[in-house]
Structure formats: structure tokens, C-alpha cells
Amino acid sequence: MPDPILDEINLTTLKEIYPRVIEDNFFLDTPFQAYLRARSMVPFGGGAFMQNVFLYAPLIGGSYAKGASFNITKRQTLAGTLFDPKFYEVSVPEYKEDIQVLNKGPLAVFSLIDIDLRNALNTISAIIAVAMSLHGQGSGAGIVGNRPNDINGWIEALNDGITPGWDGSIFPNYGTQPRNGVITNKMNSVPVWVGTAAGASAPITYQILEELYQIASIGREEPDLEVCNKAVYAFIKERIQPQQRFAQERDPYFGCSGMRHNSAMILKDDYFPSLKFGQNDPDLGNWLTGTFTSPGTVGTGSNMPTSTLLTVGEVLAMFNTRKWLFRISDDPEYGFGFSGFVPAQDNTKVVGQEKAAVNLECTGPRYNLQAFGIGG
């Protein structure tokens, strides 16, 4: 009579695990975050908050007649933005029986602790990658969602206080600094609608791409990075590249394939907002685009129809990475470090956290631009 639990093969033959690697079938790639880490990362060494200072007005002057009196009024020309570090964590729970008794020695093909720590780092990086395209504001007039604990993503910076960005939000302040007041429009970047006047998405063209690039260019300052999801990247190759050949090359910071457009590299980021490839993942966040109704007043140059239901479609952003600061705490634990394991109460579970204290700051919104309404 055969053994009721195991047959002869199971009793006499070891199983094979090949290849001896664990395939990642969950996480996506984020060259935008890699680019910022390589070119814009600035450690945060402590302080009540982070402040950026900018010039928003000239001094008083002009032509004058001989003998005329000068206007020597002292004018304030400087203002600043304020940011707080935002905190993120991913917990790594383990059972001591698993890591000290079972998953050890030569029969442990993979280290459970190593796998979970690698997963934690990927998880916290993915959560922040999604948050970079969202905002860090509480609920308020014109703001979609309640996210006061998240980083101040690029959608906050690339706004004019009048025109909604890709998620339908309008940000009258940036870094606590009111827009369109004393500093007038000097902290503004007008979101650009590239869809139809009826609110539908529309195909990208080389003319649109070039005009967006020029809007974000001032003098010698030009975008050096254009980020989109796979849909826009494919649209550019399908519709534009056959007529205007872009140089294909490997990005030196991330290693992925990109296209050169003027002085910028076009890269596809899997966590960038998209209708075709976006997701609303309960564990990571929402980068799936939808629809919203535009307000009755929008910024000059936005091309956005007013009081119209807009299909966001695909999103493209042009960045001058010299105008961005990716702030990460210099503390080893809060700089994407691990806290170490501590025991839980009344059982054999131990737990530690992967932690990050980060934020994203833009020192010059006018050198950057977001566009949406792309549909082919």
C-alpha cells in the first residue's frame, strides 16, 4: 500500500530550483527618479525646514533727464519657498523560527531576509516614484485628493495657480509661497493642453513637441530631460521619428534606451501618468489618468478649453534637472536605510522598517513644463 502522504519520487529525489534567481514580476522601472538621484540629489543635514530663495523683481531704474531726481525707493526683490521633509516607511516582518532555524545553511537556496530587504527597497522607491507625479497638499479648493504626508511632487511646481494639471488640481501656492500676488507670475509654469477644443485627446506632432520645448527654454537654459510613459514614447517613434530622426542612445544615468531631442533625452518611465499604461495600485498609488472638467478661467498659453470635460490621456513633462533638488536625509536610517529588527511582544515575530525622509523641490518652475491630452 503506497504512503498516503509522499510517493517514492518525493521521498528519494530532491527538487530543482533553476535558475537560482528570483524573477521580479511586480515592480516597474523609474528612470526619472534615477535621473534625479544622479543629477539633482542634495542631502538634507537637518533644520526646521528647507528654504529656497529666488529673485522675482528688478530694481528701479531707467532713462533720466539731466538734473532729474532719482527714485531711490528700496524695493524688495527676493522671496522664498519652504519645504518640510516627508517621511516614508516599509515594514519588514519576519518570524525568528523562519530565519534562525529553517531558512539557513546550505539547503536555503535563497535568503529570506535578503529577499525581503530587497523587496522593501523596491517598494519604497516605487511608492515615491508614483508620488513624484502627484502632490503633497491637504484637501482644499481646486485640489484633487488629500495627501498632506506625501512629497511635493512636480505637478505642484508646474502650475500657475489658475490652470489645472494632469490630475485636475490647481495649486495657488508653491512651497507656501502664494502665486500671482506680490511675486506676480514669477513662480508659474502654465500646464499646456494639447488635445482638441472639444476636450478629446489628440495625436502628438513634431510641431507640438518642438513648441513645448521652446516654451520651457529661456536663453541658454533648456530642458535636458523629457519624461513620459511608454505610450507617448511609442507615439513619438511612430508619428515623428520617421520624418525627424532622433538619435537613439543609452541613458548614462539609468542605462535604458532613450531618444535625443535637441538638448534633452526622452525617457519612458513606467510610473509616469498614463491612460494606456497607468495603474491605480492600492499598494503603490495611482498613476492612471482619467477625466476632469476644466474651470471657467485658465492661464494664457495653456490652450485649454474652459468649462469642458477633458480626457487627460497621456502626459509628457519637460524638465530642466538643474532646477530641481531631490532632498534625501543624510541620516543612514532615513536615507533609504534599514532600522534593524526589533522583537514584537508576546511572540517570535521581529520587524524592522526601510525608511526615507525626502522631498522634491523646484527652484525654477518656468524652466519646466507639463503637457497632457496626448492620444496618439
Side-chain angles (χ1 to χ4, degrees):
M1 182 176 182
D3 189 289
I5 301 175
L6 299 175
D7 59 24
E8 291 180 342
I9 295 298
N10 283 319
L11 288 169
T12 60
T13 308
L14 293 174
K15 68 179 179 180
E16 180 199 40
I17 297 179
Y18 182 85
R20 293 201 172 195
V21 295
I22 295 179
E23 187 67 32
D24 179 3
N25 284 326
F26 178 79
F27 292 106
L28 305 173
D29 283 337
T30 171
F32 179 46
Q33 186 176 150
Y35 227 84
L36 292 179
R37 282 174 175 264
R39 303 198 64 178
S40 307
M41 189 174 74
V42 178
F44 176 61
F49 46 77
M50 298 169 280
Q51 183 176 41
N52 298 320
V53 180
F54 62 91
L55 185 72
Y56 73 89
L59 294 173
I60 298 172
S63 61
Y64 69 94
K66 183 172 64 174
S69 297
F70 298 152
N71 184 345
I72 58 173
T73 301
K74 176 63 175 177
R75 170 186 284 176
Q76 181 169 340
T77 62
L78 299 176
T81 54
L82 306 177
F83 297 90
D84 296 320
K86 302 297 182 73
F87 299 96
Y88 290 82
E89 68 84 25
V90 171
S91 292
V92 183
E94 305 286 0
Y95 287 102
K96 291 169 68 70
E97 293 89 346
D98 289 340
I99 60 178
Q100 293 180 217
V101 179
L102 301 176
N103 185 239
K104 61 179 292 187
L107 296 182
V109 178
F110 304 107
S111 167
L112 185 59
I113 291 180
D114 289 346
I115 294 168
D116 288 345
L117 289 178
R118 191 178 306 116
N119 190 324
L121 183 58
N122 287 338
T123 300
I124 199 170
S125 296
I127 290 171
I128 293 173
V130 174
M132 283 180 168
S133 296
L134 298 170
H135 65 82
Q137 298 295 323
S139 56
I143 296 177
V144 178
N146 183 34
R147 308 172 58 87
N149 296 324
D150 283 293
I151 62 173
N152 301 104
W154 59 259
I155 192 174
E156 287 186 56
L158 308 190
N159 198 262
D160 62 350
I162 302 173
T163 311
W166 74 265
D167 76 338
S169 294
I170 300 171
F171 301 98
N173 303 303
Y174 182 59
T176 72
Q177 181 67 243
R179 287 182 160 115
N180 305 314
V182 175
I183 66 169
T184 63
N185 62 351
K186 300 306 183 291
M187 285 290 289
N188 292 354
S189 173
V190 181
V192 178
W193 169 254
V194 297
T196 70
S201 59
I204 187 75
T205 65
Y206 183 73
Q207 177 183 355
I208 291 174
L209 191 66
E210 185 62 25
E211 288 179 358
L212 294 175
Y213 185 91
Q214 296 305 326
I215 292 172
S217 300
I218 299 178
R220 69 185 69 182
E221 293 288 355
E222 298 182 356
D224 61 344
L225 179 65
E226 300 176 23
V227 186
C228 56
N229 207 293
K230 290 182 286 189
V232 177
Y233 194 85
F235 295 157
I236 292 174
K237 293 186 70 175
E238 292 164 359
R239 293 183 174 274
I240 299 175
Q241 199 205 12
Q243 302 146 18
Q244 177 67 35
R245 291 286 172 181
F246 290 116
Q248 305 288 309
E249 59 184 84
R250 286 282 171 182
D251 163 56
Y253 299 102
F254 190 71
C256 64
S257 178
M259 291 183 287
R260 181 66 63 180
H261 173 222
N262 295 334
S263 297
M265 174 76 82
I266 306 175
L267 295 179
K268 56 182 183 290
D269 188 304
D270 292 327
Y271 291 115
F272 220 66
S274 172
L275 175 64
K276 189 171 185 178
F277 294 103
Q279 300 179 38
N280 189 359
D281 191 304
D283 295 315
L284 302 181
N286 182 17
W287 65 101
L288 178 67
T289 66
T291 62
F292 67 85
T293 299
S294 60
T297 301
V298 295
T300 302
S302 69
N303 299 321
M304 186 176 294
T306 59
S307 304
T308 302
L309 182 66
L310 305 179
T311 298
V312 175
E314 306 299 331
V315 179
L316 169 68
M318 297 196 174
F319 297 106
N320 184 327
T321 60
R322 293 175 292 275
K323 306 300 179 181
W324 290 89
L325 303 175
F326 187 34
R327 306 303 306 274
I328 299 178
S329 173
D330 64 356
D331 180 83
E333 182 175 338
Y334 283 90
F336 289 87
F338 186 62
S339 65
F341 289 107
V342 295
Q345 295 180 349
D346 300 328
N347 56 43
T348 59
K349 181 183 285 186
V350 293
V351 64
Q353 282 79 34
E354 187 85 21
K355 296 179 180 177
V358 298
N359 213 332
L360 185 62
E361 309 169 33
C362 183
T363 61
R366 65 178 183 160
Y367 301 100
N368 304 265
L369 177 144
Q370 65 166 308
F372 53 93
I374 302 171

